[in-house]
Amino acid sequence: MTTSITPERDIQDKVTPEKSSSQHDGKIILLKGQSQYDVVRIFIDDVAEGFRQLGHDAIVVDMMQEDYFKKIASIKGKAKCFFSFNGMGTGLEVNQQPLFDYLGTPLVTWHVDHPFYLQDRINYPMKRSVVIVSNENYYQFYLKHYRKPGVVSKCLQIAGRQYVKELVPYDKRENDLVFFGSCMGPLEKQAQLLNSKDKTLNELIWETVEAAKYEQEIELSDIFYANLQHMGLNHEELPQPVLQYFLSNMDVYLRIFRRRHVLNALKDFPLKIYGNGWEDFDGEKNNFTFYKAATFIDTLEIMSKSKLTLNVMPNNRTGIHDRISYGMHQGAVCLSDATPGMKQDIEHNQHVLFYDMASDLSESLPQKVHEALGDLNNLETVAEKAMHHAKVRFNWTDRASEIIRLVDTHNMAMALTNASGA
């Protein structure tokens, strides 16, 4: 779900900084950018609605439109904050300084991807910054490597929103089992990016990968760091780009491996797969049917007409995935590998069905699917409970309220800094 932007540089006299010192009641400007399957673009629309539910004036600016900066400049009145996902808009500048510092208005950016994918945006020198991270382990990684003095930050989990009008009865659902996501390429091709001519380094990388393949609780970066320390090397001695290269390539390898591992265990099921790149899938696919990638809204519609939605968690041990939070809102029952973050917020056979990411899934996972599809009354009960739980626990209005509190904290911190003369 990583987004991308082309920073605007040295834009003169298009935005006027706010003269008033009070920004507690201003507009909230949300920056919407590019996103695979439109996922993060939908997040922007949904959190904007959350702000409006709280009585705030929320304005969405689409950065994929050529005149987006003119739209920002044309907004009248005070701005309480700007908001984006994954650092969108970070590089915007006016008069050779960060736009948000120039305006004296903070950018709140919510990183839904791991910080090592976003380090250039996180490291961008900007004072008026509030950072949200969606996974407690990601958050600790951010604090360890990137946290700058004076930047307010917090961990919040992704919410969701109901898009389907009503719960489809389970005996009327047309799909038994569906899966959404990209293939991400052949496993062996990704392995080539991990291989090193240095024997010791090669052992370090592959020991980390082997230890992480079926791990459900320990974060990939923690496994890597433990192996580094065992060799007598502190990760803090390595440059960030080096860490980013190894961690990101191991991350992709493991995501491909786990998806192939789970799908191979279900090779005899009539599984419907929606996503990009599945022509490169190098696993078994006896009864699979592949469909082109669906937009995020279409994905939610398909979920609501399916009995089970298969999920394979990325290297995200203490958070949840939007396929879970949004799926629950649509009355979908997700079948997902269990992680500490998932088990903390949702219950097995109450809001979701869990499976263990074991080395041998060939018997346990098909049996779990057979049992689930054999009891549609239970699946319908789980779906109803999941919808209710999601409305209470995973709603964007609550997240919007938390964001407002963070902005107020940031403004207070900036006032204290200015008063001290720092």
Side-chain angles (χ1 to χ4, degrees):
M1 292 184 294
T2 302
T3 54
S4 61
I5 64 169
T6 301
E8 300 247 356
R9 300 289 180 181
D10 303 325
I11 303 175
Q12 302 287 337
D13 303 323
K14 290 187 177 180
V15 179
T16 303
E18 177 56 51
K19 300 298 183 182
S20 171
S21 61
S22 175
Q23 297 184 354
H24 295 287
D25 300 316
K27 302 175 187 294
I28 297 171
I29 304 171
L30 299 99
L31 305 177
K32 179 194 285 191
Q34 183 180 359
S35 173
Q36 183 171 230
Y37 310 135
D38 291 338
V39 176
V40 178
R41 291 173 64 82
I42 297 300
F43 290 176
I44 281 287
D45 292 336
D46 289 349
V47 73
E49 184 59 29
F51 286 124
R52 294 178 189 124
Q53 291 291 325
L54 296 172
H56 295 278
D57 186 3
I59 301 171
V60 176
V61 175
D62 192 342
M63 296 184 69
M64 293 183 68
Q65 297 180 356
E66 291 184 1
D67 63 345
Y68 75 89
F69 202 83
K70 291 182 180 179
K71 183 173 181 179
I72 294 175
S74 69
I75 296 172
K76 304 298 182 183
K78 296 183 298 182
K80 182 178 183 68
C81 69
F82 287 76
F83 178 87
S84 73
F85 283 99
N86 278 354
M88 181 65 59
T90 297
L92 296 177
E93 294 186 353
V94 172
N95 294 342
Q96 298 183 330
Q97 63 177 305
L99 169 66
F100 311 103
D101 290 351
Y102 175 79
L103 294 174
T105 304
L107 170 66
V108 182
T109 187
W110 186 326
H111 298 300
V112 296
D113 291 321
H114 199 290
F116 57 61
Y117 285 114
L118 302 163
Q119 65 175 5
D120 290 344
R121 296 177 183 180
I122 294 174
N123 285 331
Y124 182 74
M126 182 170 64
K127 296 178 181 178
R128 301 308 301 258
S129 177
V130 177
V131 174
I132 299 170
V133 180
S134 60
N135 173 323
E136 183 61 38
N137 285 341
Y138 291 1
Y139 184 54
Q140 295 305 319
F141 187 95
Y142 162 77
L143 293 178
K144 182 182 296 184
H145 291 285
Y146 305 111
R147 174 68 182 264
K148 297 187 286 286
V151 175
V152 173
S153 59
K154 188 173 184 177
C155 177
L156 293 175
Q157 293 213 358
I158 288 294
R161 182 183 175 192
Q162 184 177 348
Y163 275 86
V164 299
K165 294 181 179 179
E166 58 185 17
L167 184 66
V168 180
Y170 262 71
D171 59 357
K172 304 293 185 183
R173 299 199 172 194
E174 57 195 58
N175 307 313
D176 282 345
L177 185 64
V178 295
F179 176 77
F180 302 92
S182 301
C183 176
M184 305 177 72
L187 190 66
E188 293 307 315
K189 184 177 181 180
Q190 184 63 26
Q192 294 173 11
L193 298 177
L194 296 180
N195 288 326
S196 172
K197 295 180 180 180
D198 184 286
K199 181 180 178 181
T200 303
L201 179 57
N202 207 55
E203 289 178 357
L204 167 67
I205 292 170
W206 286 104
E207 283 179 7
T208 300
V209 168
E210 288 300 318
K213 278 183 175 178
Y214 311 107
E215 177 58 53
Q216 294 189 147
E217 298 190 3
I218 305 176
E219 207 75 47
L220 169 63
S221 56
D222 291 334
I223 297 173
F224 185 54
Y225 292 165
N227 286 338
L228 279 174
Q229 290 179 342
H230 182 72
M231 295 172 60
L233 182 63
N234 191 321
H235 68 270
E236 295 179 354
E237 299 172 15
L238 297 179
Q240 284 185 6
V242 174
L243 287 173
Q244 180 189 32
Y245 177 81
F246 288 128
L247 288 171
S248 60
N249 280 301
M250 286 189 287
D251 176 71
V252 173
Y253 179 91
L254 289 166
R255 293 178 71 176
I256 296 172
F257 175 86
R258 288 192 183 119
R259 289 184 178 188
R260 191 177 74 163
H261 178 59
V262 170
L263 294 178
N264 282 347
L266 295 172
K267 63 183 184 296
D268 295 325
F269 276 86
L271 175 65
K272 295 182 178 181
I273 298 176
Y274 297 81
N276 293 321
W278 287 100
E279 62 274 8
D280 294 328
F281 180 60
D282 55 356
E284 299 184 59
K285 47 189 174 185
N286 297 15
N287 294 310
F288 298 166
T289 305
F290 298 94
Y291 298 88
K292 65 180 182 179
T295 66
F296 192 51
I297 296 299
D298 288 342
T299 293
L300 302 181
E301 186 70 28
I302 296 168
M303 281 184 174
S304 73
K305 297 176 181 178
S306 303
K307 296 167 187 173
L308 278 177
T309 298
L310 178 66
N311 182 61
V312 182
M313 287 293 288
N315 293 300
N316 179 345
R317 308 297 88 186
T318 56
I320 67 168
H321 196 279
D322 53 82
R323 282 190 293 267
I324 304 296
S325 57
Y326 273 87
M328 291 168 66
H329 273 280
Q330 316 317 313
V333 175
C334 294
L335 174 64
S336 178
D337 47 329
T339 61
M342 295 271 282
K343 291 187 287 187
Q344 179 179 346
D345 288 313
I346 51 183
E347 294 183 44
H348 172 66
N349 208 34
Q350 293 293 311
H351 315 121
V352 72
L353 300 182
F354 286 134
Y355 64 88
D356 290 323
M357 184 62 75
S359 58
D360 184 7
L361 290 175
S362 58
E363 293 186 11
S364 61
L365 189 55
Q367 181 180 357
K368 191 173 287 288
V369 174
H370 275 300
E371 290 175 354
L373 295 176
D375 191 349
L376 296 186
N377 289 333
N378 181 61
L379 284 180
E380 194 148 32
T381 299
V382 173
E384 291 171 351
K385 291 180 179 179
M387 286 186 76
H388 175 74
H389 185 67
K391 290 176 182 178
V392 174
R393 179 66 183 86
F394 303 113
N395 70 81
W396 285 111
T397 304
D398 282 355
R399 301 299 185 268
S401 180
E402 287 288 339
I403 292 166
I404 295 299
R405 278 196 281 269
L406 289 174
V407 172
D408 290 341
T409 300
H410 169 82
N411 288 334
M412 179 188 68
M414 292 301 296
L416 290 172
T417 300
N418 292 337
S420 68

